[in-house]
Amino acid sequence: MKIRTILIFLALSGLSASNAFSWGSEGHDVVVRMAIRMMKPSERKAVYDLLGTHDTHYIGHWADAVKDQNGTKNWHFVNIPDRDEHYNADRDCPNGDCIIAKLSMVQATIRNHAASRQARKGALLYWFHLVGDLYQPYHCYGDKYGGNDIKVYFKGKETNLHALWDDKIIWYKNSSPTLLAEDIFNAHHRVPPTTTTFVDAAEKSHALAVKYKLRNNSNIDADYVARSWSTINACLWEAACMASTIGPDV
Ligand SMILES: [Zn+2]
Ligand SMILES: [Zn+2]
């Protein structure tokens, strides 16, 4: 990313936008809280110093708030088709305009200490958000518009499969980012290998999306809610583990 471009993005940071295409802001907030908690104190300080804020809601949500204005919508997902379990860059990430290529780019910017502080700050905001999106199964699912075109009924209301996973189930559980982060920490999930690549994570998300896909007009029953809730918790945990790995490089 050109440094000037990031400066333009930062200038737009006060704008608002809908949450319709990402973990809801609560899911992102939880990922940021857990990732920062996993860091060593020196790493945490470096992250807060660069970002200039401790506001985990802002850090997690910023990239969604600017995407409609700065043409970065495609940064938030990758379209791996239902029929194929593997990512194919030429097919799924044309012109490098997808979450996998953009995560590599922002990671490189954060690690490039010759880049301006503003550029590295913008990249770090993208990092925390996009790693979260990478672990939302339907952000790595190319059919039916990432599940947005699969209508489902949840608690008597019409919604869609993508939104169900972004935030409807999280809201239904009626926790708070603080409590949910605490619950996930206390559940002692397995820490994924530090060698996990963006492609590994995307393919895992895609497999979950295929596993949990539903027919159009499905009713969401209690069993689906229970199973998906435990998967969502594990996804948020794994996202935080990956997000925390940027620490030593900030
Ligand atoms: Zn997003
Ligand atoms: Zn989404």
Side-chain angles (χ1 to χ4, degrees):
M1 181 189 302
K2 299 285 188 299
I3 289 167
R4 191 184 302 158
T5 320
I6 295 184
L7 286 170
I8 292 165
F9 295 163
L10 287 171
L12 292 165
S13 63
L15 298 172
S16 64
S18 84
N19 285 341
F21 303 104
S22 179
W23 286 116
S25 54
E26 184 163 341
H28 283 289
D29 192 335
V30 168
V31 170
V32 176
R33 280 167 192 267
M34 292 195 295
I36 290 177
R37 184 168 155 180
M38 288 172 193
M39 291 174 180
K40 295 192 187 103
S42 59
E43 296 168 3
R44 198 175 300 134
K45 183 177 182 308
V47 164
Y48 283 144
D49 282 352
L50 184 55
L51 293 177
T53 178
H54 289 210
D55 182 342
T56 52
H57 176 270
Y58 171 83
I59 297 165
H61 182 63
W62 177 82
D64 265 346
V66 300
K67 70 184 177 188
D68 288 330
Q69 286 80 25
N70 67 13
T72 57
K73 270 188 180 173
N74 292 350
W75 294 29
H76 297 247
F77 60 88
V78 57
N79 283 330
I80 306 174
D82 184 302
R83 66 177 185 277
D84 196 341
E85 59 194 39
H86 292 297
Y87 167 72
N88 175 321
D90 291 339
R91 177 192 63 195
D92 307 334
C93 196
N95 305 312
D97 198 19
C98 80
I99 190 167
I100 290 173
K102 297 306 179 187
L103 270 167
S104 296
M105 187 183 72
V106 300
Q107 186 181 46
T109 303
I110 296 163
R111 290 176 174 174
N112 176 12
H113 286 257
S116 74
R117 231 182 131 68
Q118 278 296 84
R120 295 177 60 247
K121 174 183 174 178
L124 190 55
L125 287 168
Y126 275 114
W127 170 259
F128 279 113
H129 180 90
L130 296 179
V131 170
D133 278 350
L134 186 66
Y135 281 87
Q136 205 285 44
Y138 291 96
H139 278 242
C140 299
Y141 183 71
D143 288 37
K144 302 283 183 190
Y145 195 37
N148 280 284
D149 285 347
I150 299 174
K151 197 194 294 178
V152 298
Y153 292 89
F154 181 46
K155 299 289 155 193
K157 288 196 177 139
E158 182 187 318
T159 181
N160 67 69
L161 189 58
H162 186 109
L164 190 74
W165 281 75
D166 265 354
D167 51 33
K168 295 291 185 291
I169 289 176
I170 295 178
W171 288 343
Y172 170 68
K173 289 293 178 178
N174 198 25
S175 187
S176 71
T178 320
L179 291 175
L180 183 51
E182 201 61 37
D183 282 352
I184 295 175
F185 251 99
N186 292 337
H188 301 294
H189 292 273
R190 195 177 61 85
V191 177
T194 49
T195 51
T196 305
T197 64
F198 302 136
V199 172
D200 295 335
E203 289 182 347
K204 188 172 178 185
S205 283
H206 173 266
L208 288 171
V210 171
K211 177 181 170 186
Y212 282 99
K213 75 181 170 187
L214 293 166
R215 288 206 181 84
N216 204 30
N217 292 318
S218 292
N219 270 307
I220 306 302
D221 61 17
D223 175 62
Y224 188 93
V225 173
R227 288 186 298 117
S228 58
W229 179 238
S230 96
T231 298
I232 286 168
N233 277 248
C235 290
L236 294 172
W237 167 259
E238 291 190 20
C241 291
M242 180 179 276
S244 73
T245 62
I246 201 67
D249 296 304
V250 172

